[in-house]
Amino acid sequence: MTGPDAELVERAVRGDPDATADLLELIRPGVVRYCRAHLGRVGGRYTTADDVGQEVCIAVLHALPRFRDEGRPFSAFVYGIAARKVADAQRAAVRHSAVVLTGTVLDRPDGAPGPEQQALAADVARRLSHVLRNLSDVHREIVVLRVAVGLSAEEVGGALGMSAGAVRVAQSRALAHLRTLAPSAFKEVPA
Amino acid sequence: MTDRTPSPPEQPVDPDVLWTDDLLLDALGRGGQAPADDAIAALLAAWRADLADPADPPAVAADEPADPPAVAEVVPITRARRRRRVRLGVAAAVLAVIAGGTGIAAAQATHGSPLWPITQLVNPQRAAVLDAESAIEAARQAVTEGRGADAQRLVDRAATLISRVRDASVAARLRTELDAVRQLLATATTPAGPPGATPGAPVPGAVPTPGSTAVPGAGQGGGQPVPTPGPTGAGHPPPLPVPSLPVPSLPLPSLPVPTSLPPLPLPTPTLLGR
């Protein structure tokens, strides 16, 4: 929904520093939410996901001069990069799963929102990510891009190589699937 | 339509449902609230809020205050276009990142911090500090290598860069470092100062007394060490500022160099005991 306009992208691709900064400011929150949605909290925090989000932003900056050649919508360009970075991070997490998964959720010395709120938020996120794991990869990606990032159906279609109509059908099916899973999501919550 | 969903033989979705779901996801995607009777939408809304929440307040809070709390049924598909005037320093940092210069260093420098707001990526202040530091270092290098003009230019550049550093204590530290380089530069260039101000030129015949002569004019040297005559200078004429005369590079007589050496008696293997 917050897709940058073509003129701004064009100026950024040409190397206009102001436009590049504007563009980065514009895409950054969505990129962060995307990485958080896919990578979740580690040790009760989004630090790891935010690290990956930072890598995505840097990668977008470096790839920006090549954007024109690819002939894709800009959001597709950004979230293609983000998807690769997230996949890299997930592979790395699997390699170091013993370390990652035993990260403590206790003993947080600081934490702005306060322990109860944070625990609740973390709980919601954990339930949801558990439910999302039951979706197919494409459905899960659509939900993340539509809800977590806030892309339009058209933008998601561009990112996934689908028509907007196909995205709308798929997202309805994903929602229907989620609705069948929701009751269980509130009961069985694996730690 | 290339629907990629699994299990292809699914029933077509009711167009009304398609439309309703699309509006719902649009609203959730912009951080809107879920309809009260929709459990999964509530879960998605809470999830969306959590994703945007704790460690990323500047970006989200600054970017999206204009969004009214959206309700799923009434939000059309729109493209909110927000153009924010971003500080010049951000642009400089972005340029640095693109160029692979100090911006990357800045990004990596923050990599280990415990809660890493992604705003660090375009932290213009860090880039400004790094730029200033590198200019100071380059100036110091230029001074030590005797490149006075370069050094002066780099000192000026560093001063400009320091003026962009907002943190007062950091700026003060950088200014101290820059002043040290300025001192070095002044020291290095003063002996070749303007000849009219040549200090301590003794009157011919005046007997110099050690310790009182050859003190350069105060305005000239600024207090930096100046070569002074040693205490043994009583019997010597005071060291006049020596004009650096151009030494003619005289053609040296090329001596005939023997190109072939006379054969020396080499030790034979038998002498070496073999």
Side-chain angles (χ1 to χ4, degrees):
Chain A
M1 316 306 261
T2 58
D5 62 56
E7 186 255 335
L8 177 64
V9 173
E10 173 65 24
R11 283 199 294 130
V13 168
R14 282 201 310 264
D16 179 337
D18 279 341
T20 307
D22 280 353
L23 190 61
L24 196 72
E25 287 291 311
L26 209 55
I27 66 168
R28 196 182 50 182
V31 166
V32 169
R33 292 196 299 270
Y34 178 88
C35 295
R36 290 177 172 193
H38 274 297
L39 298 172
R41 294 175 186 266
V42 177
R45 291 195 178 280
Y46 281 128
T47 312
T48 304
D50 291 356
D51 286 359
V52 176
Q54 169 127 346
E55 287 180 29
V56 172
C57 286
I58 293 175
V60 167
L61 281 178
H62 280 295
L64 204 52
R66 297 197 303 273
F67 167 64
R68 197 168 7 203
D69 302 331
E70 299 184 8
R72 304 164 68 201
F74 187 69
S75 55
F77 172 73
V78 170
Y79 289 99
I81 290 172
R84 286 194 290 278
K85 289 286 180 190
V86 163
D88 288 349
Q90 283 167 334
R91 277 193 290 272
V94 167
R95 280 199 296 276
H96 304 285
S97 56
V99 177
V100 171
L101 294 180
T102 54
T104 175
V105 275
L106 308 172
D107 295 337
R108 288 184 296 269
D110 53 341
E116 297 89 359
Q117 283 173 288
Q118 196 173 2
L120 274 175
D123 190 48
V124 167
R126 190 156 48 81
R127 286 170 192 272
L128 206 284
S129 59
H130 176 63
V131 173
L132 287 179
R133 275 202 290 270
N134 290 297
L135 298 183
S136 71
D137 287 349
V138 173
H139 280 186
R140 186 169 54 247
E141 185 72 0
I142 288 174
V143 171
V144 168
L145 288 174
R146 289 286 276 126
V147 177
V149 178
L151 296 187
S152 67
E154 287 79 6
E155 288 170 322
V156 172
L160 300 184
M162 304 163 69
S163 71
V167 169
R168 291 198 175 93
V169 170
Q171 72 192 12
S172 277
R173 286 186 174 143
L175 270 181
H177 195 177
L178 282 176
R179 289 202 168 95
T180 66
L181 296 168
S184 66
F186 290 105
K187 290 176 200 140
E188 34 160 304
V189 182
Chain B
M1 299 294 180
T2 57
D3 190 347
R4 293 184 174 190
T5 52
S7 53
E10 281 185 274
Q11 304 234 330
V13 183
D14 181 340
D16 285 346
V17 173
L18 279 184
W19 185 241
T20 310
D21 285 347
D22 200 42
L23 290 178
L24 172 66
L25 291 173
D26 279 346
L28 293 174
R30 69 177 63 230
Q33 293 171 345
D37 57 347
D38 191 339
I40 195 65
L43 200 55
L44 286 169
W47 176 59
R48 168 67 168 73
D50 179 62
L51 295 175
D53 191 32
D56 193 28
V60 177
D63 252 0
E64 309 198 355
D67 276 351
V71 177
E73 291 80 8
V74 296
V75 177
I77 302 171
T78 57
R79 301 273 180 102
R81 291 179 179 173
R82 301 188 192 91
R83 296 290 306 279
R84 295 173 50 209
R85 207 57 259 159
V86 184
R87 299 172 301 281
L88 185 65
V90 177
V94 168
L95 264 189
V97 169
I98 291 172
T102 55
I104 287 295
Q108 287 168 349
T110 62
H111 199 277
S113 55
L115 254 187
W116 182 0
I118 202 157
T119 43
Q120 294 279 23
L121 171 67
V122 285
N123 187 338
Q125 281 301 297
R126 174 127 195 102
V129 171
L130 287 173
D131 282 345
E133 281 175 346
S134 80
I136 291 170
E137 195 43 52
R140 186 178 289 129
Q141 182 85 16
V143 171
T144 57
E145 291 173 3
R147 294 180 281 118
D150 277 355
Q152 187 58 55
R153 187 176 50 77
L154 287 163
V155 163
D156 293 343
R157 174 169 159 67
T160 307
L161 290 169
I162 291 172
S163 71
R164 291 180 193 159
V165 174
R166 265 182 252 126
D167 186 318
S169 63
V170 175
R173 172 176 67 79
L174 292 170
R175 280 199 194 91
T176 307
E177 288 182 23
L178 182 60
D179 284 345
V181 175
R182 280 200 176 107
Q183 289 278 345
L184 273 178
L185 182 59
T187 308
T189 54
T190 300
T198 302
V203 178
V207 177
T209 55
S212 68
T213 57
V215 176
Q220 173 77 10
Q224 70 272 34
V226 172
T228 53
T232 59
H236 299 283
L240 295 172
V242 180
S244 60
L245 292 174
V247 178
S249 58
L250 296 173
L252 291 172
S254 59
L255 295 173
V257 177
T259 52
S260 63
L261 294 171
L264 293 173
L266 294 172
T268 62
T270 54
L271 288 174
L272 291 174
R274 291 195 188 169

